[in-house]
Amino acid sequence: MAGTHSLDALIQALRRLPGVGMKSAQRMAFHLLQHDREGARLLVRALADAADHVQHCERCHTFTENTICDTCLDERRDASKLCVVETPADQSALERTAAYKGLYFVLMGKLSPLDGIGPKDIGLQKLFERATDGVVQEVILATNFTAEGEATAHVIGEALKSRGLQVTRLARGVPAGSELEYVDLGTIAHALADRR
Amino acid sequence: MAGTHSLDALIQALRRLPGVGMKSAQRMAFHLLQHDREGARLLVRALADAADHVQHCERCHTFTENTICDTCLDERRDASKLCVVETPADQSALERTAAYKGLYFVLMGKLSPLDGIGPKDIGLQKLFERATDGVVQEVILATNFTAEGEATAHVIGEALKSRGLQVTRLARGVPAGSELEYVDLGTIAHALADRR
């Protein structure tokens, strides 16, 4: 911004955040230093704290401060159901629906051969071990409905079916509250095929 | 994201950044914790460092780690010219042109009555003292060409002219490399009026 070493360092550090370019980083640094020093200190503490304490749950891979996360430890949950999601944010979205009471496995990514992300990187072996613990009856594939998410679901689905598990996928269809006129054709075609 | 305390705290802290909503904050937190712990630690150090050391230059108000910034201390600069800008980023843009060798005064904001930002908040009294030090001959107003930037320039200009200083404003006109067909009419009108 003005050739100040610690300011330049801050702008460079902010640029490592996803979706933050030079202009945004400058604006963020300016905002924090000029208008929100308290916010800067808060972010320092929160970042240091999270970087030190947040790890992966040994059972489901999601972020947790403990060895096993609260969800996996919750005995009221239905351990016969295992829902596979890409990220903790996806898990959080499912939790907010309050429509699912089973357990989760969080891939922390998706298969993406073009980016060099293969089965090992998203812990598929660990998922297969987790899913064949003898308690899990049904695996619900809730990866995103993107090309990569679908491919990931396909690979996992085939592998788990061959191990004798019941595998289901979130239903594709018309989103609640939408008008058909504005829904893309692929979605309508799927909704038609999966009609009930 | 998943009900983890330090993760939630991190997401809330990231949301204080300008232009960052819930989704972006989640994505940033996920990215830092899953893919870039080193980036997280770097940001912690840079933020703590900047928050501790960056202050305002006593002469021009820009960000600096010292009492007086390097630009103000640089004796090769033309002290008879004082350029008034809104932010350190604007100052930086002017510096990159290498077309200006005078000094600066950084308002660290702009007059914005609707947001309750008055003359005191952007240090106009200090600017008036700075500009009437007997050395400054010309004040160049380089606030943005927005409604608020123009109003700020007008207020400063009137006040300084009444103190007997020469006051100029950056030229308005057609940006370099642009085709007239695509330039907005106000800009063309200004370019016409200021033709040379």
Side-chain angles (χ1 to χ4, degrees):
Chain A
M1 211 180 295
T4 308
H5 173 71
S6 54
L7 193 58
D8 289 343
L10 173 57
I11 291 170
Q12 290 310 319
L14 286 166
R15 284 188 65 182
R16 287 178 78 137
L17 292 171
V20 176
M22 190 62 188
K23 295 269 174 197
S24 302
Q26 282 190 347
R27 203 169 58 238
M28 287 172 175
F30 178 74
H31 175 81
L32 288 176
L33 294 174
Q34 182 66 10
H35 302 296
D36 196 11
R37 294 256 172 163
E38 176 53 31
R41 286 179 211 287
L42 222 139
L43 186 51
V44 166
R45 280 195 299 272
L47 260 175
D49 197 41
D52 285 347
H53 297 118
V54 173
Q55 49 182 314
H56 292 293
C57 169
E58 282 192 0
R59 294 194 76 199
C60 77
H61 267 200
T62 199
F63 288 136
T64 175
E65 280 150 348
N66 310 307
T67 317
I68 310 278
C69 75
D70 291 347
T71 309
C72 283
L73 287 175
D74 188 345
E75 293 189 351
R76 288 164 306 178
R77 304 200 69 118
D78 181 356
S80 73
K81 290 188 172 56
L82 188 70
C83 181
V84 179
V85 293
E86 290 179 18
T87 66
D90 297 334
Q91 178 184 7
S92 172
L94 277 163
E95 282 295 282
R96 284 198 302 275
T97 68
Y100 179 67
K101 292 294 167 209
L103 296 174
Y104 291 92
F105 189 92
V106 185
L107 298 171
M108 290 288 173
K110 52 187 175 287
L111 288 179
S112 180
L114 288 179
D115 301 322
I117 299 173
K120 270 191 186 169
D121 301 295
I122 59 172
L124 285 197
Q125 193 52 46
K126 195 149 174 197
L127 165 60
F128 298 154
E129 283 164 24
R130 173 73 185 86
T132 53
D133 67 348
V135 181
V136 172
Q137 303 286 320
E138 177 187 357
V139 174
I140 301 158
L141 301 175
T143 53
N144 288 325
F145 286 82
T146 57
E148 287 154 343
E150 293 279 20
T152 307
H154 179 75
V155 170
I156 296 173
E158 291 304 306
L160 290 178
K161 274 181 215 155
S162 75
R163 285 168 170 80
L165 280 156
Q166 188 193 351
V167 178
T168 57
R169 178 90 170 106
L170 285 192
R172 277 176 295 210
V174 180
S178 59
E179 297 178 55
L180 275 191
E181 186 181 350
Y182 301 106
V183 174
D184 73 288
L185 299 183
T187 300
I188 294 181
H190 278 303
L192 206 56
D194 296 350
R195 68 187 178 279
R196 32 174 286 180
Chain B
M1 212 179 294
T4 308
H5 174 71
S6 54
L7 193 58
D8 289 343
L10 174 57
I11 292 170
Q12 290 310 318
L14 286 166
R15 285 189 65 183
R16 288 178 79 137
L17 293 170
V20 176
M22 189 63 188
K23 296 267 174 199
S24 302
Q26 282 190 346
R27 201 169 59 238
M28 286 172 176
F30 178 73
H31 175 81
L32 288 176
L33 294 174
Q34 182 67 12
H35 302 295
D36 196 11
R37 295 255 173 167
E38 176 52 30
R41 287 180 211 285
L42 222 140
L43 186 51
V44 165
R45 280 194 300 271
L47 259 175
D49 197 43
D52 285 348
H53 297 117
V54 173
Q55 50 183 313
H56 293 292
C57 170
E58 282 191 2
R59 294 193 77 199
C60 77
H61 267 199
T62 199
F63 289 136
T64 175
E65 280 150 348
N66 311 306
T67 317
I68 310 277
C69 75
D70 290 347
T71 309
C72 284
L73 288 175
D74 187 346
E75 293 187 353
R76 289 164 305 178
R77 303 200 69 117
D78 181 355
S80 72
K81 289 189 173 55
L82 189 70
C83 181
V84 178
V85 294
E86 292 180 17
T87 66
D90 297 334
Q91 177 184 8
S92 171
L94 277 162
E95 282 295 283
R96 283 198 303 273
T97 67
Y100 179 69
K101 292 294 168 209
L103 296 174
Y104 291 92
F105 189 91
V106 185
L107 297 170
M108 291 288 174
K110 53 186 175 286
L111 288 178
S112 180
L114 288 178
D115 301 321
I117 298 172
K120 270 190 187 169
D121 300 296
I122 59 173
L124 286 198
Q125 192 53 46
K126 196 150 173 197
L127 164 60
F128 297 154
E129 284 162 25
R130 172 75 186 83
T132 54
D133 66 350
V135 181
V136 172
Q137 304 285 319
E138 177 188 358
V139 174
I140 300 157
L141 302 175
T143 54
N144 287 325
F145 286 80
T146 57
E148 287 155 343
E150 293 278 21
T152 306
H154 179 77
V155 169
I156 296 172
E158 291 303 305
L160 290 178
K161 274 180 216 157
S162 75
R163 285 168 170 81
L165 281 155
Q166 188 194 348
V167 178
T168 57
R169 177 90 170 106
L170 285 192
R172 278 176 294 210
V174 179
S178 59
E179 298 179 54
L180 276 191
E181 184 181 351
Y182 301 107
V183 174
D184 72 288
L185 300 184
T187 300
I188 295 180
H190 277 303
L192 206 56
D194 296 350
R195 67 187 179 279
R196 34 171 286 179

